[in-house]
């Protein structure tokens, strides 16, 4: 039967088609592609046998393959043998994991740990930890909406804090002239930040530059933060993975606390345990006393409940087993140092091969920088040439993941860099 409308006959099929055509989402625009995932897609399409993907922030062994730590395999086997259930975790996560994470970050003899004036909740890796922290600030940090990021910072920091309702500002950090830390610029900018604002620091292995302050510089930064009465937010995604020493990599966080600065801290076990897809992280708030910590914990649970109810079980069990078993922990410390040392070694080999190629540039910044990433100082047009002429893929800012460099391809990389920079 036809429908009668405006003196015309309209078939039911056409009416249905018209209704479908007026979509609820017609106004939604196509979003820009993720810059790093875009690099990976282009790499996959390339047929050159010498192609290199230096865009992805995941560790690779010296054969360029993903690496699962032996201690992780052993922990998984031990957990499987226990025939454990798959019940929900509490909202705050696995209690023994939270305790071990706080002790790893702050040191198990730290006064904060002994007095119980902290709360740690399990999170969905580093990103989830940051988002929980950002939402907590948005709801309870009543003094300011301004959050100051180093320039540059990890690309995801901006949308995480912006989407939580914070106002993003920046302070000088990286000096492109030296490919190093702009210490004077950072101190000058931080000295002008309005009191009671939030400032974010990368605890170690700054992403994307690989540039970290030295201990004496951290001391001055802490002094300025304390003088300006700023709130310090630490992101620590690479403890142990940066230098190979868990205590050295946590030094800045511990120093700030020693100076009476009550920080918040995000941790991730993606890099230092290779638990990328398990999504294991923690968020810690250092409080005035144990009573305040209880109140903060109660509100963190209220925040987390509608976000994801409770965190994943398996990765936290693995990380907790490694951190609390003396044998597994000892093996982990050796393995994380092995990963850090391989990356440090690749930096040294890259500089040596650049010199062998006859490069007259000063590449010392490659070995001065630390962690997975290196800001090479290459310009966008040089990066484009590396991709087009040598099938070497990286982000346009010249950042490379040193984890993608191996003893088998480091000479090829050095040759290509020299050709586009000479």
């Amino acid at each position: 039967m036809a429908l009668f409308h405006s003196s015309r006959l309209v078939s039911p099929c056409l009416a249905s088609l018209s209704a479908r055509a007026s979509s609820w989402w017609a106004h939604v625009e196509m979003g820009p592609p993720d810059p790093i995932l875009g690099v990976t897609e282009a790499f996959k399409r390339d047929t050159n046998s010498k192609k290199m993907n230096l865009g992805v922030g995941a560790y690779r062994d010296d054969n360029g393959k993903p690496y699962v730590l032996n201690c992780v395999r052993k922990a998984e086997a031990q957990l499987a043998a226990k025939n454990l259930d798959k019940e929900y975790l509490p909202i705050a996560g696995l209690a023994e994991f939270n305790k071990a994470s706080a002790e790893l970050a702050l040191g198990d003899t730290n006064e904060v740990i002994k007095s119980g004036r902290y709360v740690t909740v399990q999170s969905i890796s580093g990103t989830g930890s940051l988002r929980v922290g950002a939402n907590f600030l948005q709801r309870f940090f009543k003094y300011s909406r301004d959050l100051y990021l180093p320039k540059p910072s990890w690309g995801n920091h901006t949308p995480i804090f912006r989407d939580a309702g914070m106002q993003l500002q920046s302070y000088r950090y990286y000096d492109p002239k030296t490919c190093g830390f702009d210490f004077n610029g950072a101190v000058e900018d931080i000295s002008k930040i309005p009191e009671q604002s939030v400032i974010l620091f990368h605890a170690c292995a700054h992403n994307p530059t690989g540039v970290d302050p030295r201990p004496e510089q951290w001391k001055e930064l802490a002094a300025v933060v304390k003088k300006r009465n700023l709130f310090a937010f630490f992101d620590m995604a690479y403890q142990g993975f940066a230098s190979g020493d868990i205590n050295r990599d946590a030094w800045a966080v511990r120093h700030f606390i020693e100076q009476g600065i009550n920080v918040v801290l995000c941790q991730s076990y993606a890099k230092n345990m290779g638990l990328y897809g398990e999504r294991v992280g923690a968020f810690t708030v250092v409080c005035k006393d144990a009573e305040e910590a209880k109140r903060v914990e109660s509100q963190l649970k209220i925040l987390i409940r509608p976000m994801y109810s409770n965190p994943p079980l398996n990765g936290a069990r693995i990380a907790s087993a490694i951190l609390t078993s003396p044998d597994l922990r000892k093996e982990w410390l050796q393995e994380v140092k092995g990963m850090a040392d391989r990356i440090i070694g690749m930096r040294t080999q890259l500089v040596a091969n650049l010199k062998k190629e006859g490069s007259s540039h000063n590449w010392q910044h490659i070995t001065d920088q630390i962690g997975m990433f290196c800001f090479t100082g290459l310009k966008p047009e040089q990066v484009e040439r590396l991709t087009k002429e040598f099938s070497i893929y990286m982000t346009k800012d010249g950042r490379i993941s040193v984890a993608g460099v191996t003893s088998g391809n480091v000479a090829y990389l050095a040759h290509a860099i020299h050709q586009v920079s000479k």
Side-chain angles (χ1 to χ4, degrees):
M1 179 179 172
L3 298 175
F4 188 76
H5 178 67
S6 301
S7 305
R8 290 185 301 172
L9 289 176
V10 182
S11 77
C13 289
L14 285 174
S16 172
L17 189 65
S18 173
R20 284 203 305 271
S22 58
S23 165
W24 295 107
W25 313 117
H27 63 286
V28 177
E29 297 176 1
M30 178 64 73
D34 184 281
I36 294 172
L37 295 182
V39 169
T40 301
E41 289 303 312
F43 169 79
K44 286 178 180 175
R45 291 192 298 268
D46 198 317
T47 56
N48 186 342
S49 61
K50 291 185 174 181
K51 66 181 181 178
M52 295 176 67
N53 184 1
L54 303 180
V56 178
Y59 182 79
R60 297 290 181 260
D61 65 18
D62 201 44
N63 296 311
K65 303 296 183 187
Y67 177 61
V68 180
L69 278 66
N70 291 327
C71 62
V72 168
R73 291 291 193 213
K74 288 179 182 177
E76 287 177 323
Q78 289 177 13
L79 291 167
K82 291 180 180 178
N83 223 12
L84 298 166
D85 62 42
K86 299 291 185 183
E87 292 293 297
Y88 289 126
L89 279 174
I91 297 171
L94 190 66
E96 53 266 39
F97 165 80
N98 292 340
K99 181 174 183 290
S101 293
E103 289 175 351
L104 178 70
L106 307 183
D108 55 9
T109 61
N110 194 301
E111 167 271 324
V112 171
I113 301 291
K114 288 180 173 179
S115 66
R117 63 178 186 97
Y118 75 96
V119 54
T120 299
V121 295
Q122 184 188 332
S123 63
I124 304 175
S125 203
T127 301
S129 175
L130 285 157
R131 188 56 193 259
V132 168
N135 278 35
F136 183 73
L137 289 182
Q138 191 275 331
R139 186 169 293 184
F140 292 104
F141 194 76
K142 62 183 182 179
Y143 310 100
S144 175
R145 280 283 168 271
D146 289 332
L147 183 137
Y148 287 76
L149 292 173
K151 193 174 181 179
S153 197
W154 181 45
N156 217 12
H157 278 149
T158 293
I160 287 169
F161 287 100
R162 183 190 60 213
D163 289 357
M166 301 298 287
Q167 301 294 319
L168 275 301
Q169 313 292 344
S170 65
Y171 62 91
R172 277 176 284 175
Y173 188 88
Y174 177 74
D175 184 352
K177 293 192 187 79
T178 62
C179 297
F181 181 39
D182 184 0
F183 175 63
N184 292 332
V187 169
E188 186 179 339
D189 284 358
I190 295 169
S191 299
K192 295 175 183 174
I193 293 176
E195 291 192 10
Q196 299 184 314
S197 300
V198 184
I199 183 167
L200 184 139
F201 293 108
H202 299 231
C204 60
H206 180 275
N207 180 359
T209 68
V211 171
D212 283 358
R214 297 188 302 275
E216 61 269 23
Q217 293 174 326
W218 274 122
K219 286 179 180 179
E220 290 200 45
L221 292 173
V224 177
V225 166
K226 190 172 183 178
K227 184 179 178 182
R228 297 296 300 162
N229 195 21
L230 303 177
F231 183 74
F233 192 121
F234 274 96
D235 186 1
M236 185 160 64
Y238 298 92
Q239 187 182 3
F241 192 93
S243 68
D245 182 335
I246 57 169
N247 295 315
R248 178 179 168 185
D249 291 347
W251 190 89
V253 175
R254 296 174 187 180
H255 176 72
F256 270 62
I257 293 170
E258 283 169 13
Q259 298 307 302
I261 302 167
N262 288 344
V263 307
V264 295
L265 170 71
C266 297
Q267 288 169 271
S268 166
Y269 291 91
K271 307 298 192 298
N272 60 7
M273 285 190 183
L275 296 174
Y276 301 97
E278 296 287 358
R279 313 308 291 142
V280 193
F283 176 67
T284 296
V285 184
V286 177
C287 300
K288 178 186 174 185
D289 51 39
E291 187 274 331
E292 182 175 277
K294 290 273 191 295
R295 287 186 280 112
V296 169
E297 182 182 26
S298 72
Q299 292 296 343
L300 285 170
K301 289 178 182 177
I302 290 167
L303 267 176
I304 289 167
R305 180 71 171 108
M307 285 174 77
Y308 52 83
S309 276
N310 42 64
L313 177 61
N314 192 56
R317 278 178 172 166
I318 294 169
S320 182
I322 291 168
L323 291 172
T324 58
S325 158
D327 289 345
L328 290 178
R329 187 185 179 101
K330 182 181 177 183
E331 186 168 7
W332 171 60
L333 292 174
Q334 291 169 345
E335 288 189 276
V336 74
K337 186 175 189 311
M339 290 192 290
D341 286 349
R342 193 188 88 71
I343 286 179
I344 292 166
M346 284 302 105
R347 290 177 179 275
T348 303
Q349 285 189 42
L350 179 55
V351 173
N353 276 275
L354 281 162
K355 287 177 181 173
K356 198 182 292 182
E357 285 287 330
S359 177
S360 58
H361 295 292
N362 180 3
W363 297 103
Q364 187 182 328
H365 59 275
I366 292 177
T367 49
D368 285 347
Q369 294 171 14
I370 196 168
M372 184 172 285
F373 299 108
C374 169
F375 247 33
T376 59
L378 293 170
K379 298 177 173 62
E381 59 271 19
Q382 293 170 326
V383 170
E384 193 175 346
R385 279 191 64 195
L386 283 174
T387 302
K388 284 184 177 177
E389 297 175 28
F390 300 95
S391 297
I392 295 172
Y393 292 84
M394 63 185 73
T395 48
K396 288 178 182 177
D397 56 11
R399 184 198 82 163
I400 65 171
S401 173
V402 188
V405 185
T406 69
S407 53
N409 64 24
V410 65
Y412 178 70
L413 174 62
H415 171 72
I417 290 176
H418 178 54
Q419 291 304 309
V420 304
S421 62
K422 64 181 180 181

